[in-house]
Amino acid sequence: MATVSVPLKAEPARPEVRQEHHLAPKSYATAAGARENRNGDANAGADALRSRVSGTKMPKKASSSRAAANGVQKDKKGAQERLYEAFEDANGGHLTSIRPRHDADRTDEDEKEKLGLRGGEKDKLVSGRRAGAGWEKSGIRFAPLNVPLKRRLQTFIVLLHTLSIPFFLSLFFFLCAIPLCWPVLVPYLLYVTLSDAGASGTLARRSHRLRSARFWSLFASYFPARLHRSEELPPTRKYVFGYHPHGIISHGAFAAFATEAMGFSQLFPGITNTLLTLESNFRIPLYRDYLLAMGVGSVSRASCEKLLSKGGPNGEGMGRAITIVVGGAAESLDALPHSLRLVLKRRKGFVKLAIRTGADLVPVLAFGENELYEQVQPHMHPGIHRVQLLVKRLLGFTIPLFHARGVFNYDVGMLPYRRPLNVVVGRPLKVAQKERPDEAYVDEMHALYVEELERLWREWRDVFAKDRVEEMQIVE
């Protein structure tokens, strides 16, 4: 008679039963796996017994416990990915993750070794993030060391002009710290306070040598910047150039109308142009002298009328021109890349000036001026925008929160980006001189001016503004 071996009684898995028999605690996953293995072995033994009694061979069955233990799955491509349980909480819940393909051949013991876990420690330890992650690649792009000398000189000249106000102020305070300079600085400060050289209209301090210096070509070629004309301007008339947009610092206006780097005298022979800026800039020590030498004047009404009524062949201002950045500080807050929002609807003072002095209106559109800097967008930070408008109302100017590139990197700093800048001068609009212009005629000339400005945009946007995200808008 055949004897059948009876399997030993299974080791209890419930925690309270194991505690009664003074057995060590066992995790639920271990007990379940052992129970499944025992069930599989018992079923295998029963099948073998039935086979011996009946004399037939039973087919081999794949053990489900073996597949579960291996935890291996195949995707459509046949690549293997191993499932493993990394952590388990006190209630038996667990997190199941898929190993990366390159780690598919690692065992569970390797994972425990990597995490520093041993046995029952895995439900007591929580791992933090890996130190140093994310530093393999910096978010700031640094300039290489082998930059050509010409590009280094371009960056240096643009840096000096961009930081000209802090530079001259620092130089002045440094001189104030030297007692030997006081006998000169005290009379100089009195002169700066009382002088109206910026609004005199004589251009006596204008230096043609400084405006034509070769290093200004490095300034213009940094972007690079180009000046274009729609048609010739006769030197027998006077002109009011309206520059758009303001941008952040109006680099295009300075390069085109305060220097000869872009060939203004060659394109418009016989015309003496004066770029205008705020009167407050002529109260900054040393910086004012730099502006006067560059031929820059004050944007006050008295200064504009004097500039357009003096000089020239007949002494009445013929052949004179002034350049006004019409949008001003308010427009600088809308200087966003790939867009063009012009503050112009209510700006009619320059039109009245042209009518009173008999000067022709000449619109100027600078493609790329807004692309030179990035700044905080008003619709995303309305609180900051309100503060900027308050500063403008109180001081007459505002401070845009902007950034571009640096001297040794391409992402952080106050230097403008190296992006093309094309200044296009439109056709002149002849104005009938009137000492007291009426509102109807002012509105008529203003509408013609806007129409010519829009024509410049339509004709040249596909050439100089290919990356635009919106069309030109006339606001305020």
Side-chain angles (χ1 to χ4, degrees), residues 322-370:
I322 60 174
T323 299
I324 303 175
V325 184
V326 179
E331 196 172 80
S332 65
L333 299 180
D334 292 326
L336 301 176
H338 313 303
S339 64
L340 192 59
R341 295 170 56 88
L342 305 183
V343 179
L344 186 57
K345 283 185 178 179
R346 294 183 293 178
R347 299 295 174 101
K348 300 180 181 180
F350 71 103
V351 178
K352 296 179 181 179
L353 172 68
I355 296 174
R356 284 195 300 266
T357 58
D360 295 346
L361 288 168
V362 182
V364 180
L365 193 58
F367 294 87
E369 184 73 59
N370 285 349

Side-chain angles (χ1 to χ4, degrees), residues 139-385:
I140 299 178
R141 298 170 298 163
F142 290 92
L145 297 178
N146 57 342
V147 176
L149 177 61
K150 180 181 178 180
R151 293 179 67 88
R152 292 187 182 275
L153 293 177
Q154 290 171 345
T155 303
F156 178 70
I157 296 300
V158 174
L159 176 66
L160 289 182
H161 173 69
T162 304
L163 302 179
S164 54
I165 294 181
F167 171 76
F168 284 111
L169 280 177
S170 301
L171 178 60
F172 174 75
F173 287 122
F174 174 77
L175 295 176
C176 289
I178 303 176
L180 293 177
C181 298
W182 292 355
V184 178
L185 293 178
V186 173
Y188 174 75
L189 287 177
L190 294 176
Y191 168 73
V192 170
T193 305
L194 302 176
S195 174
D196 64 341
S200 63
T202 60
L203 302 180
R205 303 280 297 276
R206 183 186 182 109
S207 173
H208 178 73
R209 177 176 296 181
L210 180 60
R211 288 170 55 90
S212 305
R214 292 186 60 186
F215 55 77
W216 291 124
S217 64
L218 293 172
F219 179 88
S221 60
Y222 169 90
F223 303 99
R226 297 288 301 275
L227 179 64
H228 314 271
R229 74 179 183 195
S230 297
E231 62 180 54
E232 296 183 4
L233 302 181
T236 55
R237 297 189 62 84
K238 58 184 74 172
Y239 304 95
V240 174
F241 286 71
Y243 184 88
H244 309 271
H246 183 282
I248 300 296
I249 306 183
S250 301
H251 286 295
F254 180 84
F257 305 116
T259 74
E260 290 295 333
M262 298 163 67
F264 179 86
S265 296
Q266 296 176 353
L267 292 175
F268 307 101
I271 298 177
T272 302
N273 199 334
T274 302
L275 179 64
L276 304 182
T277 185
L278 295 175
E279 173 67 24
S280 58
N281 288 329
F282 293 93
R283 298 292 178 255
I284 302 177
L286 301 182
Y287 180 67
R288 66 180 299 278
D289 301 286
Y290 166 67
L291 294 179
L292 292 173
M294 296 301 299
V296 179
S298 171
V299 76
S300 64
R301 174 179 173 178
S303 173
C304 295
E305 292 180 348
K306 291 178 182 178
L307 286 168
L308 294 175
S309 60
K310 295 182 180 180
N314 58 356
E316 297 180 357
M318 294 302 176
R320 284 286 188 94
I322 60 174
T323 299
I324 303 175
V325 184
V326 179
E331 196 172 80
S332 65
L333 299 180
D334 292 326
L336 301 176
H338 313 303
S339 64
L340 192 59
R341 295 170 56 88
L342 305 183
V343 179
L344 186 57
K345 283 185 178 179
R346 294 183 293 178
R347 299 295 174 101
K348 300 180 181 180
F350 71 103
V351 178
K352 296 179 181 179
L353 172 68
I355 296 174
R356 284 195 300 266
T357 58
D360 295 346
L361 288 168
V362 182
V364 180
L365 193 58
F367 294 87
E369 184 73 59
N370 285 349
E371 276 69 35
L372 301 183
Y373 290 95
E374 302 277 356
Q375 71 163 314
V376 174
Q377 300 186 11
H379 66 276
M380 297 181 62
H381 303 275
I384 296 177
H385 186 62

Side-chain angles (χ1 to χ4, degrees), residues 80-82 84 98-105 111:
Q80 293 184 347
E81 295 178 340
R82 180 184 295 271
Y84 68 97
I98 300 178
R99 279 192 195 139
R101 297 179 185 275
H102 60 275
D103 288 341
D105 56 343
E111 291 298 325

Side-chain angles (χ1 to χ4, degrees), residues 47-102:
D47 293 341
L49 178 59
R50 286 194 294 271
S51 174
R52 288 194 296 270
V53 172
S54 61
T56 60
K57 293 185 178 181
M58 300 296 295
K60 294 184 179 180
K61 296 182 180 180
S63 176
S64 60
S65 62
R66 184 179 308 167
N70 292 338
V72 177
Q73 296 179 345
K74 289 188 178 181
D75 58 11
K76 296 180 180 179
K77 297 182 180 179
Q80 293 184 347
E81 295 178 340
R82 180 184 295 271
L83 296 176
Y84 68 97
E85 297 175 359
F87 299 96
E88 182 179 70
D89 58 19
N91 298 324
H94 56 267
L95 297 176
T96 304
S97 304
I98 300 178
R99 279 192 195 139
R101 297 179 185 275
H102 60 275

Side-chain angles (χ1 to χ4, degrees), residues 458-470:
R458 288 193 304 269
E459 289 189 0
W460 300 106
R461 60 188 175 184
D462 294 332
V463 178
F464 301 131
K466 296 180 180 179
D467 298 331
R468 65 186 183 278
V469 296
E470 62 182 24

